[in-house]
Amino acid sequence: GKMAQDMTEKELLKMELDQLKKEVKNERQMVSKTGKEIKEYIESMAGEDPLLKGVPEDRNPFKEKGGCTIS
């Protein structure tokens, strides 16, 4: 596809209209309901979250493989 800066105003407006047509079909829910559900889900998964509990050294794919020696 074209980059946005290469598009005419009409093409940009059509793209925006297409996006809005998609978004209007989304099912909507109250934030007061979904916020509570999201919080409960996050708290229930916290024990498995590597960002919170860390990754064991033996299972860390990004662990340094070796050192660097300067002589």
Side-chain angles (χ1 to χ4, degrees):
K2 289 183 175 181
M3 299 296 279
Q5 63 264 28
D6 298 331
M7 297 172 77
T8 65
E9 187 175 0
K10 184 179 176 186
E11 288 172 318
L12 287 169
L13 289 171
K14 184 185 181 318
M15 199 168 86
E16 186 176 350
L17 183 62
D18 290 343
Q19 181 63 33
L20 290 171
K21 284 178 182 177
K22 288 177 196 164
E23 289 179 21
V24 79
K25 294 176 189 163
N26 289 346
E27 183 185 339
R28 297 175 188 276
Q29 294 185 350
M30 302 286 283
V31 172
S32 56
K33 178 178 180 288
T34 55
K36 183 171 175 281
E37 289 173 1
I38 291 169
K39 179 175 179 276
E40 288 168 1
Y41 173 79
I42 291 170
E43 287 172 351
S44 74
M45 301 301 279
E48 302 301 312
D49 191 333
L51 294 176
L52 294 175
K53 69 175 201 163
V55 177
E57 279 298 310
D58 59 330
R59 291 194 314 154
N60 183 353
F62 302 104
K63 186 173 74 172
E64 292 289 329
K65 299 286 186 269
C68 172
T69 309
I70 301 173
S71 55

